[in-house]
Amino acid sequence: MSPSSPVIAPAGSVGTVVSRMRALAAVLPERDGVAVFNRVYLTVTEEIDRRLGTGEFPDPRAAAALDVRFAERYLTAVEAAEADRRPPACWRPLFQLRRHPGVRPLQFALAGINAHIGHDLALAVVDACHAIGCEPADLEDEFDHVGEILTALEERVREDLMPGPDLLQLADPLTHLLGAWSLERARDAAWAAARALWSLRHCPDVAGEFGERLDAAVGFAGRMLLTPLAR
């Protein structure tokens, strides 16, 4: 399956993917880079599940479809790595450097967010459209609502994982890495990529090439985010 192929079936509930992430959290070492990202993403998915239960999404069915397809992309990448298969290029830096002692927890978290937002989110929009028979425009409210949750969480992640009792010193290399990546820009790019992929759905060769190039570009950014830093 190419990175841009729709993940249409089977799909469980949001509660199912939450359970799978909790199971991962229970077995991964705390310092493992995948475990760091998994904790972040589990918090997001639990919050989305809670908000679905309180009726905060305009279209709960569409929101659940998007969230599940989104999570499946990450969980499929984890399963591929565990089975010694090649995950998408966007995820490879995190899996390859997950135990590197020179990479800080904040870097692991942001590299996972980069892979998931930069690549998986666009494809998840297309997956969800195929699954429930709609256009990307029909998911825009849900996309924006999920994006607001992610933005709030990213701010908390930076606060929780920021090294030292004070903000990073200007001379710390991590300061420059943090300034080079923006979740808001990544979300905007993901929405544009989703619309492009949907427009190309009847041109599978072109859509496949577009998806592969997106995957490679996001993987390159992830490699930069995981540059080992002197402490």
Side-chain angles (χ1 to χ4, degrees):
M1 183 178 68
S2 71
S4 58
S5 300
V7 179
I8 297 177
S13 65
V14 178
T16 299
V17 295
V18 166
S19 295
R20 291 170 67 187
M21 287 182 220
R22 287 175 178 165
L24 275 175
V27 299
L28 291 174
E30 183 178 357
R31 182 62 177 76
D32 181 282
V34 177
V36 174
F37 171 72
N38 190 76
R39 288 194 294 273
V40 170
Y41 192 30
L42 175 58
T43 301
V44 171
T45 310
E46 288 173 334
E47 179 64 14
I48 291 172
D49 195 25
R50 185 191 70 78
R51 296 193 186 195
L52 281 167
T54 59
E56 293 185 36
F57 283 93
D59 185 342
R61 174 173 173 264
L66 177 58
D67 188 61
V68 170
R69 305 297 168 176
F70 190 31
E72 285 288 348
R73 288 277 172 181
Y74 159 63
L75 292 167
T76 298
V78 172
E79 290 170 357
E82 289 179 344
D84 292 326
R85 301 192 308 270
R86 281 169 68 83
C90 62
W91 285 106
R92 285 175 212 155
L94 180 59
F95 289 118
Q96 291 167 355
L97 296 169
R98 62 194 293 179
R99 299 180 182 89
H100 197 295
V103 179
R104 304 184 195 179
L106 181 57
Q107 291 176 263
F108 289 133
L110 292 182
I113 294 171
N114 169 71
H116 206 37
I117 302 296
H119 174 263
D120 294 354
L121 183 53
L123 274 60
V125 171
V126 175
D127 294 341
C129 287
H130 282 296
I132 64 178
C134 70
E135 301 277 330
D138 300 320
L139 292 178
E140 189 167 7
D141 287 345
E142 286 66 38
F143 181 96
D144 289 342
H145 208 68
V146 169
E148 291 168 5
I149 296 170
L150 289 166
T151 299
L153 181 75
E154 189 215 13
E155 292 173 358
R156 199 174 84 193
V157 166
R158 288 178 184 249
E159 291 173 0
D160 290 348
L161 297 180
M162 196 74 77
D166 302 315
L167 294 179
L168 287 171
Q169 298 297 314
L170 183 61
D172 192 319
L174 187 52
T175 304
H176 303 285
L177 282 180
L178 292 177
W181 189 85
S182 162
L183 187 143
E184 184 176 357
R185 290 197 298 269
R187 280 175 49 201
D188 290 345
W191 182 246
R195 294 177 60 200
L197 284 167
W198 185 253
S199 297
L200 293 170
R201 66 191 182 281
H202 301 306
C203 304
D205 290 345
V206 180
E209 182 177 354
F210 182 96
E212 289 172 4
R213 291 183 182 276
L214 175 66
D215 188 24
V218 174
F220 179 78
R223 181 73 61 180
M224 296 301 100
L225 286 169
L226 292 171
T227 300
L229 303 175
R231 292 179 178 273

